[in-house]
Amino acid sequence: MKKSGAEILIESLVREKVKDIFGYPGGVVLDIFDRLFDSNIRLIFVRHEQGGVHAADGYARASGKPGVALVTSGPGATNTVTGIATAYMDSIPLVVLTGQVPTGMIGNDAFQEADIIGITRPCTKHSYLVRDVKDLARTIKEAFYVATTGRPGPVVIDLPKDMLQSRTEPHYPEKAHIPSYNPTYKGHIKQIRRAASMIAKAERPVILIGGGVIASNAAAEVQKLATHTQTPVASTLMGLGGFPGTHPLFLGMLGMHGTYRANMAVSDTDLIVALGARFDDRVTGKLDEFAPGAKILQVDIDPTSISKNVHAHLPVVGDVKNVLRDLLPHLKEIKTGWKSRHTPWLNQIREWQETYPLAYKQGKREIKPQFVIEKINEITGGDCIISTEVGQNQMWAAQYFKYTKPRTLLTSGGLGTMGYGFPAAIGAQVAFPDKLVIDIAGDGSIQMNIQEMMTAVQYRLPVKIAILNNQFLGMVRQWQQLFYNKRYSSTCLTCSPDFVKLAEAYGAVGLRATKPHEVVPTLEKAFSLPHPVLMDFRVSREENVYPMVPAGASIKNMLLA
Amino acid sequence: MRHTISVLVANKFGVLSRVSGLFSGRGFNIDSLTVAETQDPSVSRMTIVTRGDEQIIEQITKQLNKLVDVIKVSDLTGVNFIDRELVLIKVQATAENRAELLGIVDIFRCKVVDVSSRSYTLEATGDAGKIQAVIEILRPLGIKELVRTGKVAIGRDGRTG
Ligand SMILES: Cc1ncc(C[n+]2csc(CCOP(=O)(O)OP(=O)(O)O)c2C)c(N)n1
């Protein structure tokens, strides 16, 4: 029987096991919304398309399943760009369905026409413009396959209105078949053998985990590697949760706001075992002085990530999990007293740790932002999903919360998108209705997608927002303080809404804490309520994130306080 | 250093802009780019001439490979290949230079493809060296217009990839 494009689309999504879509309607996608009205797929009606894409992204990061967003043409589509770019930079699997004007009108500057394929080309893994309804089912199959395999990423499908309305006999392919697309999952066995002997020879090795460890679900294998070889583990922002933050071998995050011990260890190591980490400039600092004595063993599914910034002495192209599974037996064959061999190195690391641990002083008068995060960690026992905005809040959330499981930190690492955290938390809460989901926010960032409060309230999603309210664009202010003579140009946010009232206006709960002793009761109350809760923590206004490596400096050159 | 990169692509909507967008977006140079169907109409071949040090060329080939519609990327530089370019050159024709012009046409085995009272249009085909030589020798005679196809290349022994 012939079916309309809209029907075929919904059926294809069902076949991809899509349960939730984040969407916003408009003229050219009315047919889809009409079909969704009585389908089994839940449409979460967001309040801004950017929020919709970030929510789909948070859903994907938390669950490991692809996130799906649906928007109309023109402004609906252009509003998704920041969300798509955010997902692209962090390799998050998304399928973004955009409406388009009818095929006959494309190129005519029709009402609400935007060349969204062109606009998003540099920030998508791939994209499709459906030009024949017969291609629709296959296109959707391919899009999900491309988004979720290899190095994951966002895929846009542009759907002209006439494609949704015209009818055809549907044929749903079982498998995607793209001859030109063949990601490498298995590492080259010779390279893996070389890797084993390289690891065995090292005296001061460091494992560096990145987002690839999360994407390939390789946390268990990483832990085996680290504990078997007694090798300390440093993490990028994107890798946090890929190794338990509570483990004695964990060094914390490295890079611009990395821990002293992680940055010192990476600067002094003779072997970096990089697992799904791409040596971003925020990680390496000054490239010429990065890990000067180190050999680099780099495992990545994406060949372009290998030797892009830092030369890899031994590249292994493959999925981290697969490669580690193949590598571990080789390491077990090697009869080295791993522990005794690495003891001097681990002692040295302990010394660094004792010299400059992460620290702040919580007095009686002002709330320190770090204190709020430590208390969140304590009260939840680490058992929650944290999302962050961008700025100081993000860095403190990376430093002071101990992530013990993968997919528990949702943060915009590559693009650094303010306004990401709250809608991402909504997406995670949709994926996990019973988990505690907390957005650690800044007073600047939260205002970038605050409209999604309405979404949280409408769908009874009990997300918690903890605003570390310093009445500044704190991170930018910090740079102005340190490098621009304290000239706080456009960073003062004393002119802001009353966040408690704002939450209440949306029908959520608003709480405020201004004194240190109020922090714990506020958190406990928020966590006990089955509603969305916004907490306004008034924190020390000019607290800085330390350690800090000034932009362009070697990561050994940390400002420590 | 200059590299000639041969890229087989699936003949899909928008594939040229994906490739050219990759070059501009990542700051890679394109000296020339040609593209047309192969013997299989579902596949096209692009020949791209680009410049960069080893690391840049490595990134270019890897990034090209990463595009979903790209089937195969081969850097022909250093392997045995044949390259050709076609150029159309409109040269000022005067009573005085006509003989010299026709002499050059003869030596370089160009063709005169159009003649008007004021100009001759020549067609020359050859590798990069020959095309450059033709252009240099014609320059003093007054080149009015010049159109090049950009380089196409093929590996010997079916080695284009
Ligand atoms: C969309 C966007 N615009 C601008 C920036 C630049 N930026 C980075 S951090 C920051 C300040 C964030 O302030 P706030 O949300 O209050 O967080 P805080 O640093 O105070 O914790 C800004 C403006 C950005 N990252 N994203």
Side-chain angles (χ1 to χ4, degrees):
Chain A
M1 205 180 65
K2 285 195 172 180
K3 290 261 166 86
S4 75
E7 289 170 299
I8 296 169
L9 170 67
I10 304 293
E11 173 62 22
S12 300
L13 295 175
V14 168
R15 283 165 186 257
E16 295 301 324
K17 303 193 173 63
V18 173
K19 299 215 163 47
D20 306 281
I21 298 182
F22 301 88
Y24 204 97
V28 299
V29 286
L30 279 170
D31 288 273
I32 307 177
F33 277 80
D34 187 63
R35 289 287 113 209
L36 278 171
F37 202 47
D38 38 31
S39 88
N40 289 330
I41 296 177
R42 178 158 71 147
L43 184 104
I44 308 289
F45 166 41
V46 293
R47 294 305 191 271
H48 187 296
E49 290 88 351
Q50 184 191 351
V53 180
H54 288 328
D57 170 314
Y59 182 95
R61 290 189 207 224
S63 68
K65 292 187 277 189
V68 182
L70 165 64
V71 302
T72 192
S73 65
T78 54
N79 269 349
T80 64
V81 172
T82 302
I84 293 171
T86 301
Y88 182 71
M89 288 293 266
D90 291 344
S91 311
I92 305 304
L94 293 187
V95 174
V96 178
L97 305 164
T98 56
Q100 184 54 280
V101 300
T103 38
M105 289 165 82
I106 290 178
N108 288 345
D109 299 322
F111 177 63
Q112 294 198 326
E113 177 181 358
D115 173 12
I116 196 62
I117 297 291
I119 290 170
T120 59
R121 190 177 299 114
C123 59
T124 44
K125 182 169 172 187
H126 198 51
S127 49
Y128 296 89
L129 169 63
V130 178
R131 296 196 298 171
D132 185 340
V133 68
K134 290 197 194 72
D135 296 338
L136 184 56
R138 180 184 50 78
T139 302
I140 291 158
K141 185 90 224 166
E142 281 190 17
F144 276 85
Y145 176 65
V146 170
T148 53
T149 51
R151 179 175 177 178
V155 175
V156 168
I157 309 178
D158 205 16
L159 300 160
K161 179 159 182 149
D162 53 327
M163 291 298 115
L164 300 170
Q165 292 180 327
S166 48
R167 304 176 76 82
T168 188
E169 195 80 42
H171 166 68
Y172 302 100
E174 283 300 314
K175 272 191 162 165
H177 175 67
I178 314 173
S180 56
Y181 174 72
N182 299 299
T184 309
Y185 280 88
K186 263 192 100 58
H188 197 287
I189 192 67
K190 269 195 197 145
Q191 295 293 83
I192 288 173
R193 265 194 229 116
R194 285 195 192 110
S197 65
M198 207 169 180
I199 292 171
K201 282 196 198 101
E203 282 171 14
R204 302 184 308 283
V206 171
I207 296 169
L208 169 56
I209 59 170
V213 166
I214 311 287
S216 78
N217 297 312
E221 287 76 11
V222 170
Q223 200 166 335
K224 279 186 197 145
L225 172 68
T227 48
H228 179 76
T229 61
Q230 285 297 301
T231 304
V233 179
S235 179
T236 70
L237 179 63
M238 297 308 300
L240 291 174
F243 188 77
T246 46
H247 198 285
L249 285 168
F250 191 56
L251 302 175
M253 183 171 74
L254 83 166
M256 182 173 273
H257 294 293
T259 62
Y260 182 76
R261 67 183 191 277
N263 283 357
M264 292 307 285
V266 165
S267 300
D268 205 39
T269 179
D270 61 352
L271 174 68
I272 296 181
V273 181
L275 304 175
R278 62 185 172 85
F279 296 101
D280 176 88
D281 52 274
R282 284 295 190 263
V283 161
T284 61
K286 189 173 184 188
L287 265 180
D288 313 340
E289 291 171 30
F290 177 73
K295 290 255 186 298
I296 311 278
L297 157 55
Q298 190 177 1
V299 182
D300 206 294
I301 198 160
D302 177 5
T304 69
S305 289
I306 293 179
S307 290
K308 182 170 60 181
N309 301 329
V310 172
H311 173 71
H313 302 87
L314 184 63
V316 184
V317 177
D319 177 73
V320 173
K321 189 188 190 86
N322 277 329
V323 170
L324 291 187
R325 282 196 170 168
D326 291 342
L327 173 67
L328 286 163
H330 290 284
L331 289 170
K332 291 197 172 137
E333 271 170 26
I334 296 169
K335 300 281 169 258
T336 301
W338 294 101
K339 185 144 200 173
S340 56
R341 188 178 170 81
H342 292 162
T343 298
W345 175 229
L346 293 172
N347 286 342
Q348 165 69 73
I349 286 169
R350 191 162 317 113
E351 212 177 292
W352 283 323
Q353 156 69 355
E354 280 156 14
T355 329
Y356 293 109
L358 282 175
Y360 65 95
K361 281 200 196 75
Q362 178 58 62
K364 284 217 156 39
R365 307 235 318 267
E366 285 187 326
I367 302 173
K368 292 288 176 186
Q370 302 93 323
F371 177 71
V372 177
I373 291 168
E374 283 200 327
K375 289 297 153 192
I376 293 175
N377 198 14
E378 262 176 54
I379 294 171
T380 62
D383 185 20
C384 60
I385 296 172
I386 299 284
S387 72
T388 80
E389 301 296 339
V390 169
Q392 295 181 316
N393 59 84
Q394 178 183 36
M395 291 299 109
W396 285 318
Q399 293 176 332
Y400 286 92
F401 193 96
K402 295 192 170 23
Y403 303 91
T404 51
K405 287 189 219 89
R407 305 191 179 282
T408 54
L409 171 63
L410 322 175
T411 192
S412 167
L415 200 65
T417 308
M418 290 171 69
Y420 167 79
F422 179 41
I426 289 179
Q429 190 80 77
V430 169
F432 295 103
D434 300 327
K435 279 204 177 153
L436 177 58
V437 184
I438 308 163
D439 174 33
I440 294 177
D443 46 323
S445 302
I446 194 62
Q447 295 187 60
M448 286 209 175
N449 274 315
I450 190 72
Q451 77 285 345
E452 300 308 328
M453 279 301 273
M454 210 61 261
T455 311
V457 170
Q458 178 179 342
Y459 292 92
R460 300 175 196 280
L461 300 166
V463 289
K464 317 300 175 198
I465 304 171
I467 303 180
L468 307 177
N469 186 349
N470 48 19
Q471 298 185 287
F472 274 117
L473 294 173
M475 185 58 93
V476 181
R477 184 210 55 74
Q478 175 170 343
W479 284 53
Q480 289 172 331
Q481 178 194 332
L482 298 173
F483 313 115
Y484 290 86
N485 264 328
K486 278 201 169 197
R487 287 157 56 84
Y488 293 162
S489 175
S490 294
T491 44
C492 183
L493 281 181
T494 41
C495 187
S496 275
D498 179 328
F499 287 110
V500 171
K501 283 192 184 149
L502 187 60
E504 286 165 357
Y506 279 109
V509 177
L511 303 173
R512 178 170 292 125
T514 55
K515 294 275 171 313
H517 70 266
E518 294 168 353
V519 169
V520 169
T522 303
L523 289 169
E524 280 173 343
K525 175 154 186 210
F527 298 163
S528 71
L529 292 171
H531 312 295
V533 181
L534 182 153
M535 293 164 275
D536 181 16
F537 291 102
R538 295 305 179 94
V539 298
S540 293
R541 293 198 65 204
E542 299 192 43
E543 187 71 13
N544 286 340
V545 181
Y546 292 118
M548 176 178 191
V549 177
S554 148
I555 61 166
K556 251 179 130 166
N557 293 337
M558 286 165 269
L559 308 175
L560 290 159
Chain B
M1 185 179 150
R2 237 170 232 260
H3 283 247
T4 302
I5 296 175
S6 185
V7 189
L8 270 187
V9 298
N11 213 348
K12 296 263 175 74
F13 180 79
V15 63
L16 176 59
S17 58
R18 286 184 206 282
V19 170
S20 61
L22 188 157
F23 276 77
S24 59
R26 294 190 179 268
F28 303 141
N29 292 303
I30 299 184
D31 286 354
S32 74
L33 185 157
T34 66
V35 54
E37 250 174 54
T38 62
Q39 70 277 21
D40 174 354
S42 71
V43 173
S44 284
R45 181 176 298 281
M46 295 185 182
T47 309
I48 302 171
V49 179
T50 182
R51 272 168 295 148
D53 60 23
E54 216 174 296
Q55 198 196 347
I56 289 173
I57 299 297
E58 185 182 326
Q59 265 300 311
I60 290 175
T61 52
K62 284 172 164 182
Q63 292 285 357
L64 283 167
N65 258 315
K66 191 167 145 179
L67 295 176
V68 170
D69 288 336
V70 167
I71 300 164
K72 183 138 203 240
V73 180
S74 334
D75 183 358
L76 296 179
T77 311
V79 308
N80 201 355
F81 72 98
I82 303 163
D83 67 297
R84 288 293 179 269
E85 184 172 6
L86 186 147
V87 56
L88 297 174
I89 310 170
K90 196 178 287 167
V91 189
Q92 208 142 348
T94 59
E96 297 80 57
N97 75 6
R98 196 150 298 167
E100 187 181 349
L101 196 61
L102 293 174
I104 294 169
V105 166
D106 208 31
I107 294 165
F108 282 94
R109 272 179 272 162
C110 307
K111 273 192 227 153
V112 179
V113 288
D114 192 35
V115 184
S116 75
S117 57
R118 298 225 199 120
S119 65
Y120 272 51
T121 302
L122 315 183
E123 172 196 313
T125 317
D127 61 15
K130 172 175 165 185
I131 298 294
Q132 209 47 44
V134 173
I135 293 170
E136 288 319 316
I137 205 132
L138 288 173
R139 202 183 289 282
L141 303 188
I143 295 177
K144 294 169 91 174
E145 219 181 330
L146 183 150
V147 182
R148 308 170 68 150
T149 57
K151 184 197 275 192
V152 292
I154 194 163
R156 293 185 196 268
D157 322 319
R159 296 252 292 281
T160 315

